[in-house]
Structures are given as C-alpha cells and as structure tokens.
Amino acid sequence: MKERDGTRPSTLPGYRKLIENHIRPAVGKLALDKLTPTVIRRLLAEKTDAGLSATTVRHIHGLIRNSLGDAEREELVHRNAAKSVRPPAMRQVERRALDVEEAKRLLDALRGHRLEALYVCALTVGLRRGNCSGLAWADIDFDAGTLTVRQTVQRAEGRLQLVAPKTERSRRTVPVPAQNLALFRAHRYAHVLPEIERAAVDQAAKHLFG
C-alpha cells in the first residue's frame, strides 16, 4: 500500500528493511488481536537495548502504528494498540552553521570548481542538496533574480530519481543573490552551451553524411 499512498521512493527500501529485520521476526507470527501494547512496548525496549538509535526505534513504532491503523479501519482489530505506546524520545542534536569566516574560506576553496555554482547556491540560498541537484534552467528566473524549487533528487534502489518536494512549503520561490546568478550564467556558458553546440554539430553531420 505504501507504493500507492505517496510514500517517497527513497523511503520504501528502508521500510522494507525494518519490517524484514526487526518487525516480522519479532511479531510476524502473532495474530493481530494478540498484538497488545505490552508486546509492542517490549519490542521497542528490546530494540533500544540492542543498540538501535531512537530514530530507528521510532520508525519501527510508526510502521506498527500505521499498519494497525489500517487494520482498525478495515475492522480487523477493535483498537490500535500502538497508540498507547510511547516511542523513545529523540535526543536534541545541536547543529552548527558556518560562521562568516568559515563561509569565506569555503567560497575561496570553491572558486573555479566545476560545481562552484551548485555549492554557492546551497551556501547562500540555503537549499538542501537534493533541491540544488534537482534544479533545471527553467527554474531560474534571471530577470527576477529568483529560483523556484519544483523537484528534488533522491537515491532509491541504487539510482537517482527526480521527485516532487515532500511538502507544499518545500515548493517555493526564493531570491537569489546577484553573485550566484552570475555563477549560474558562467556555468551555463562554460558547460551547457558547448554541449548543445556539439550536439547540433553531430546532428548536422549525421544529416549530411548519413
């Protein structure tokens, strides 16, 4: 069902792994009405004691809760036993952003790199890696000085895929600094236009010489 409910392709393999490695071996043989809060609570405690991260254990709990929710809607169980079980609390991790001097050093190190425009976009505009990688030239409005996030790149089952942003808030138009616009133009002239010209020459040669 997850393939049809909008779950992102990169998420599905992780769900399958959790089910096969952790959920099915522990409770797969139990009848749904035997899946009590005590059983679920014990399962989560065992996974925590085994060294799984709080994030992974919360995902296990979420999969069980969602599955029982589906069973409840189908009237296969009278209640969702996972709703009364608290998953482990998430530990807050402080994330540190680059300070001004570190950002300047990074920009200096990137100067002249083939992907300088991409890295500078991530640094100055604040886009995630997948959003930056998913940008197309049609997404950049050089006249207005903006770019629009319409898609993102994700790796799923060993290959990269373009997918829609996860939420409507992720689909947005943001201003782009003039420095970044200049880098986009330079990248296009240096890398994209020569490829287009070579393709045109190759096409003309095929037309003339077969």
Side-chain angles (χ1 to χ4, degrees):
M1 292 181 65
K2 285 295 182 183
E3 288 88 346
R4 300 190 295 272
D5 68 1
T7 301
R8 299 167 79 78
S10 61
T11 305
L12 293 173
Y15 283 167
R16 295 190 187 104
K17 186 176 180 180
L18 289 177
I19 292 169
E20 295 301 325
N21 293 346
H22 300 290
I23 298 176
R24 193 188 300 277
V27 298
K29 294 182 179 180
L30 288 179
L32 286 176
D33 60 352
K34 301 297 183 183
L35 203 57
T36 64
T38 300
V39 172
I40 298 170
R41 195 175 293 112
R42 185 184 301 122
L43 167 61
L44 301 185
E46 289 174 353
K47 296 305 175 181
T48 299
D49 293 341
L52 294 186
S53 68
T55 299
T56 300
V57 177
R58 288 176 70 91
H59 283 322
I60 292 172
H61 174 263
L63 282 170
I64 296 173
R65 184 192 61 220
N66 292 343
S67 297
L68 288 177
D70 291 338
E72 186 178 24
R73 284 187 287 274
E74 295 294 329
E75 299 183 353
L76 299 175
V77 294
H78 296 297
R79 64 168 183 148
N80 186 339
K83 284 185 176 180
S84 60
V85 179
R86 289 186 178 181
M90 291 290 292
R91 186 177 62 182
Q92 295 296 324
V93 178
E94 183 179 354
R95 300 183 182 277
R96 190 182 71 83
L98 298 178
D99 60 32
V100 175
E101 290 303 319
E102 289 172 331
K104 287 181 178 179
R105 290 200 298 271
L106 177 59
L107 291 174
D108 289 338
L110 290 172
R111 189 164 291 115
H113 190 279
R114 184 175 65 88
L115 298 178
E116 179 183 4
L118 179 70
Y119 288 121
V120 173
C121 179
L123 181 64
T124 58
V125 182
L127 298 185
R128 296 175 181 270
R129 179 175 61 180
N131 294 152
C132 286
S133 301
L135 286 175
W137 290 113
D139 300 329
I140 303 172
D141 189 330
F142 287 97
D143 294 328
T146 62
L147 64 79
T148 300
V149 177
R150 294 187 175 92
Q151 58 191 5
T152 187
V153 173
Q154 285 193 342
R155 183 177 296 279
E157 299 180 349
R159 61 190 181 91
L160 296 177
Q161 299 182 32
L162 285 171
V163 298
K166 191 171 184 179
T167 65
E168 282 303 315
R169 289 186 61 186
S170 300
R171 190 190 304 271
R172 63 201 186 279
T173 298
V174 295
V176 181
Q179 174 194 14
N180 219 140
L181 290 174
L183 287 171
F184 280 141
R185 287 192 179 96
H187 180 88
R188 190 173 188 179
Y189 286 129
H191 300 287
V192 179
L193 292 182
E195 292 181 6
I196 294 175
E197 292 170 356
R198 285 195 295 271
V201 171
D202 291 341
Q203 187 64 30
K206 288 180 181 180
H207 179 72
L208 289 173
F209 303 109

